[in-house]
Amino acid sequence: MRFGARGRHRAASTRYGDGQGSYRGKQGSRVLGKVVLVTGAARQLGGRFVRRVQCEPGVDRVIAVDAVEPAHELGGAEFVRADIRQSALARILAEHAVDTVVHLDVSGKALGAGGRTAIKETNVIGTMQLLGACQKSPAVRRLVVKSSTSVYGSASRDPAVFTETTPPKSLPSGGFAKDAVEVEGYVRGFARRRPDVAVCVLRFANILGPRPDSPLADYLSLPVLPTVFGYDPRLQFVHEDDVVDVLGIAAGEPRRGTLNSGTFNIAGDGVLLLSQCSRRLGKPTVPVLLPAVTWVGSALRTIGMTDFSPEQIRLLTHGRVVSTVQMRETLGFRPKFSTAETFAEFARSRGPGLLPPETVGRAVDRLAALPLPGGAGPRERGAGAVQTTHGAR
Amino acid sequence: MADAKVIPFDDDRSRSGGASRPARRRTGAGGPGGGRGDGSAAPVSALPGAQVPEPSAVSPEAGEGGREPRRDAVDAGGAPGGWERRIAGGLAFLRRRVTGDYDVDEFGYDRELTDQVLMSVLRPLADTYFRVEVKGIENIPSDGGALIVANHSGTLPLDGLMLQVAVHDNHPADRHLRLLAADLVFQLPVVNELARKAGHTLACAEDAQRLLEMGEIVGVMPEGFKGIGKPFGERYKLQRFGRGGFVSTALRAGAPIVPCSIVGAEEIYPMIGNAKTLARLLGFPYFPITPTFPWLGPLGALPLPTKWTIQFGEPIPTDGYPPEAAEDPMLMFNLTDQVREQIQHTLYKLLVQRRSVFF
């Protein structure tokens, strides 16, 4: 509703129909077809979305764009190798008469080799180039941008639950979170300049899928989890299947009674604490004092295990929970996986850790099977054990 | 608050006196929506006699300090089976904990841990050490949101924790208090973790409103650091109530405000001085100096065993106001003053009835 009215979409679509007669004739009798351009198609998520969106009714063609050849199958989509940091995009948009742009090339982790600078360039400069190209192209009617809940930052003075309108108490100072903030800023500017384009910004919580594609997934794949001593962050996850589904909803026409333009938090229901995550994964934790965490982080980064950026450390200190009321009520999307289910899927794909929960559970059961003389003795032991777990957390 | 309601029942300080009190109020709080006004002249009914003695009846049965009285009340098994069931329960609990198979809400509130561990740790402090006497628990509605507004004192926020135990252990509908805590709490390691798990959250309008709309009982101490860090000479003098934000939050959520007066917490650490430079250096709002604290080292951190009274006053309904009332500063100030006066008044009354600080 903030990003342009529906009447204007119709006007744009008329224009689109007029200009592309030749293309229509070649394609067939369908009058109202869609041409979807997906950036970041070489990533796991991009590839899945490209394959998925082809099956949507009303989608004629899918143009997949990325700077590198994807390792996975893209189905019937047309792959165009282009670096979105260059201005080749305007030509691609015009050539294929793209009307829906799904911008997924906003990511916290490089694909293959490439440092932080390259990611930042792709995220920020790439978005600027893409938006510039979209602004020039009259055919574009819909823009979907993948963002992240990290735009809210993570601080001790933040409210427990972020809504889409919560202003961040402390803006992310660097890293992917800052990229996401800047990308959203440019997208807002674009929405102002092109009110006829329906713009949807999806702020995803931590995405977990079968293949780790985010710094947090990398972190959770470590054999032993370094944690910040004295903090137990609340985390939310969203399953990759749900991400693909909600991108489909955002890229299509809004269903009756829903609205798919605007900004939405996307997360699975419920919350997991990091301590719960580690126990469910069966991985021991090593609490590290907050000042020393940065050293551990840079040490881990040096040996290339994970990107332990300051922003990541803040997430692991204070945690972050977002409200998904808008997602449910305005966007009309219900995730299939809750946070806990997403995590269970992830844990299953990872394989057991050093202390699998089943083994630990069996150990407790053995404790239960010990001959109990009754009376106060075992009771004390039980109570003591409870206290210990509590103390050890 | 009508004088005649408080004084007669506090004359006899016994448990039974406390138990008979609810009889009067019960009917007033019987319509839990907050529609009181008909209950002021209600006669004593037979109903409260059945439910009010419950908390006091549990402790003699449970014997040693009444650990986990609620579980006892639930399974209420015979004496021989009780222990085994407890052990089994404890092991099941342990198993759930070590495998991570438990739930927390979006605020990080771990209900199971709070009920089984945190409350059990705090309970001896409340029952044996401070001997907290709880009055007017029936003023907290049995369902729906409510905002408990209490005075704050005692250098360390033990009064908040005792208030939480008081609501948890005494309320017949098994309600849990969700406290709003200062941002300092969430900056300190360990403390923030335990606070979140115990159901506390940051004192901000968003969190308070979210909790009230979820139908939770929210506890707030609007004096903040001004109240908890005031010198001993100013004890039981309420400080300014912030900006009255709690009133507009309660109005927006339509939740009744329950004023609460806590007597006894002021004397646990008599603060005779404040090392301001040291406080600024450490980033704390104040650094207390008590007759014992820095001098005796950790021993000085032991609170004095004062006798506490927690009195919940009659709820002030907020659902009768138009929706724009939350934006009306005049109404805010009036309601804030009303709550403040009621707490101050009750404090003085309780102080007059108190025989001694320690008994």
Side-chain angles (χ1 to χ4, degrees):
Chain A
M1 60 208 152
R2 222 167 83 220
F3 300 118
R6 290 211 45 181
R8 281 182 168 154
H9 299 168
R10 199 128 307 150
S13 77
T14 331
R15 226 181 315 150
Y16 157 72
D18 290 347
Q20 298 306 320
S22 59
Y23 165 62
R24 290 279 139 238
K26 188 170 69 186
Q27 191 69 17
S29 58
R30 261 258 205 69
V31 184
L32 222 140
K34 279 212 310 184
V35 182
V36 183
L37 180 132
V38 182
T39 64
R43 287 177 189 278
Q44 197 62 32
L45 186 67
R48 284 196 62 182
F49 179 65
V50 166
R51 288 194 294 275
R52 159 74 191 270
V53 78
Q54 292 161 24
C55 316
E56 297 269 323
V59 172
D60 275 357
R61 291 213 294 162
V62 180
I63 321 289
V65 175
D66 209 321
V68 290
E69 287 282 343
H72 43 254
E73 192 59 40
L74 287 181
E78 201 172 308
F79 180 72
V80 179
R81 183 167 177 173
D83 193 336
I84 61 167
R85 287 173 289 177
Q86 262 93 60
S87 52
L89 277 165
R91 190 180 49 75
I92 300 170
L93 288 180
E95 198 176 295
H96 299 279
V98 173
D99 57 20
T100 303
V101 175
V102 182
H103 183 33
L104 301 181
D105 212 351
V106 180
S107 181
K109 197 187 164 199
L111 194 63
R116 166 76 200 127
T117 354
I119 312 168
K120 185 183 166 72
E121 281 226 338
T122 310
N123 287 344
V124 180
I125 307 293
T127 303
M128 287 175 78
Q129 287 281 4
L130 178 71
L131 293 177
C134 290
Q135 199 175 331
K136 282 279 181 299
S137 164
V140 172
R141 295 188 307 142
R142 193 174 287 281
L143 171 69
V144 180
V145 179
K146 168 186 174 249
S147 181
S148 155
T149 55
S150 59
V151 295
Y152 298 114
S154 197
S156 59
R157 298 179 56 196
D158 280 322
V161 181
F162 293 101
T163 64
E164 282 82 353
T165 51
T166 314
K169 280 278 182 328
S170 58
L171 272 172
S173 56
F176 170 62
K178 195 179 181 202
D179 294 358
V181 170
E182 286 174 1
V183 163
E184 283 200 12
Y186 291 124
V187 171
R188 269 195 296 277
F190 170 79
R192 262 199 308 279
R193 290 191 296 272
R194 278 289 300 272
D196 59 307
V197 177
V199 178
C200 182
V201 176
L202 299 175
R203 291 176 177 162
F204 291 105
N206 307 297
I207 302 173
L208 286 187
R211 244 168 270 184
D213 197 22
S214 72
L216 191 75
D218 281 353
Y219 165 78
L220 291 170
S221 307
L222 293 173
V224 174
L225 302 180
T227 59
V228 183
F229 171 77
Y231 293 87
D232 201 358
R234 295 160 296 139
L235 302 172
Q236 265 177 328
F237 301 108
V238 55
H239 196 277
E240 217 175 75
D241 292 359
D242 283 325
V243 174
V244 173
D245 283 351
V246 76
L247 283 171
I249 288 180
E253 286 294 318
R255 280 177 293 176
R256 183 181 276 277
T258 67
L259 191 74
N260 67 353
S261 53
T263 305
F264 300 98
N265 293 332
I266 310 292
D269 298 340
V271 168
L272 278 182
L273 298 177
L274 183 60
S275 59
Q276 278 178 294
C277 294
S278 69
R279 288 170 201 180
R280 288 179 188 198
L281 276 175
K283 297 197 172 175
T285 54
V286 182
V288 182
L289 283 175
L290 192 50
V293 169
T294 350
W295 308 334
V296 175
S298 47
L300 281 173
R301 199 161 39 213
T302 321
I303 57 169
M305 287 196 83
T306 175
D307 173 32
F308 226 89
S309 60
E311 170 225 341
Q312 184 80 7
I313 293 171
R314 285 217 304 198
L315 171 67
L316 294 178
T317 309
H318 302 294
R320 186 186 305 126
V321 173
V322 295
S323 154
T324 52
V325 174
Q326 290 296 318
M327 169 188 89
R328 238 169 272 278
E329 289 176 2
T330 310
L331 190 61
F333 174 68
R334 285 179 190 285
K336 282 201 287 288
F337 293 88
S338 70
T339 286
E341 285 159 2
T342 306
F343 195 79
E345 288 275 306
F346 173 77
R348 208 167 302 140
S349 71
R350 299 283 88 186
L354 293 173
L355 297 169
E358 298 78 31
T359 318
V360 178
R362 270 201 299 277
V364 175
D365 290 343
R366 271 202 295 279
L367 190 68
L370 288 177
L372 297 171
R379 153 79 184 153
E380 285 311 313
R381 184 168 50 196
V386 171
Q387 302 289 2
T388 322
T389 37
H390 173 59
R393 56 199 5 267
Chain B
M1 188 163 182
D3 297 15
K5 272 180 197 154
V6 182
I7 289 172
F9 290 105
D10 294 322
D11 285 343
D12 48 347
R13 294 181 56 263
S14 66
R15 274 271 176 184
S16 62
S20 73
R21 263 181 51 74
R24 280 259 298 253
R25 295 286 171 68
R26 192 78 229 163
T27 38
R36 57 172 205 92
D38 56 321
S40 50
V44 177
S45 68
L47 168 76
Q51 42 174 231
V52 174
E54 187 189 58
S56 50
V58 167
S59 40
E61 184 215 9
E64 41 108 49
R67 264 171 104 90
E68 299 160 29
R70 220 153 278 279
R71 278 241 312 266
D72 282 26
V74 172
D75 25 63
W83 284 114
E84 271 168 35
R85 203 169 306 173
R86 274 186 166 198
I87 295 161
L91 283 167
F93 170 76
L94 179 62
R95 195 196 155 113
R96 279 195 301 278
R97 300 307 298 186
V98 295
T99 52
D101 185 19
Y102 51 91
D103 290 317
V104 297
D105 79 354
E106 54 191 3
F107 293 88
Y109 173 42
D110 190 336
R111 186 169 181 153
E112 195 183 41
L113 183 80
T114 306
D115 283 359
Q116 309 283 336
V117 180
L118 300 181
M119 285 298 131
S120 311
V121 170
L122 290 172
R123 195 166 290 122
L125 198 64
D127 288 352
T128 319
Y129 198 77
F130 293 129
R131 294 145 288 144
V132 179
E133 190 179 339
V134 181
K135 298 174 176 179
I137 191 79
E138 71 286 349
N139 286 317
I140 301 173
S142 304
D143 52 352
L147 185 68
I148 296 181
V149 181
N151 60 317
H152 206 12
S153 58
T155 310
L156 283 183
L158 289 180
D159 50 353
L161 299 175
M162 293 302 112
L163 185 64
Q164 189 179 5
V165 177
V167 174
H168 180 266
D169 287 2
N170 290 284
H171 201 280
D174 199 13
R175 303 219 58 177
H176 289 68
L177 182 70
R178 310 292 297 266
L179 282 171
L180 302 181
D183 46 1
L184 181 66
V185 168
F186 297 100
Q187 284 161 17
L188 299 173
V190 184
V191 175
N192 87 91
E193 184 183 340
L194 289 175
R196 282 245 173 255
K197 284 180 181 165
H200 308 173
T201 190
L202 184 74
C204 62
E206 294 96 330
D207 284 8
Q209 195 168 347
R210 184 169 285 271
L211 281 169
L212 285 175
E213 279 163 3
M214 283 160 64
E216 298 279 353
I217 297 207
V218 181
V220 66
M221 293 166 159
E223 289 173 274
F225 290 124
K226 295 188 297 297
I228 192 174
K230 65 178 177 289
F232 188 62
E234 285 177 33
R235 59 192 181 277
Y236 298 115
K237 278 192 202 120
L238 283 190
Q239 304 295 303
R240 187 166 58 82
F241 263 18
R243 279 161 282 181
F246 69 93
V247 172
S248 55
T249 307
L251 276 173
R252 280 204 193 93
I257 298 174
V258 181
C260 171
S261 311
I262 303 173
V263 166
E266 291 273 14
E267 292 92 356
I268 54 170
Y269 298 109
M271 184 161 141
I272 49 172
N274 181 3
K276 287 206 176 100
T277 322
L278 194 55
R280 212 170 303 134
L281 216 62
L282 294 170
F284 295 145
Y286 54 88
F287 189 89
I289 292 172
T290 72
T292 53
F293 174 50
W295 330 120
L296 297 184
L299 203 66
L302 200 71
L304 297 179
T306 54
K307 160 83 185 158
W308 287 33
T309 308
I310 297 180
Q311 161 100 54
F312 298 100
E314 293 227 9
I316 300 167
T318 60
D319 47 2
Y321 295 96
E324 66 272 14
E327 311 289 331
D328 180 359
M330 231 28 232
L331 179 68
M332 291 303 97
F333 284 124
N334 286 343
L335 270 175
T336 310
D337 281 349
Q338 187 188 342
V339 176
R340 195 171 172 277
E341 305 248 301
Q342 194 169 332
I343 295 172
Q344 183 73 73
H345 203 71
T346 315
L347 276 178
Y348 285 145
K349 218 173 308 182
L350 291 172
L351 283 174
V352 167
Q353 291 154 14
R354 182 163 75 159
R355 281 186 309 191
S356 120
V357 174
F358 297 102
F359 302 103

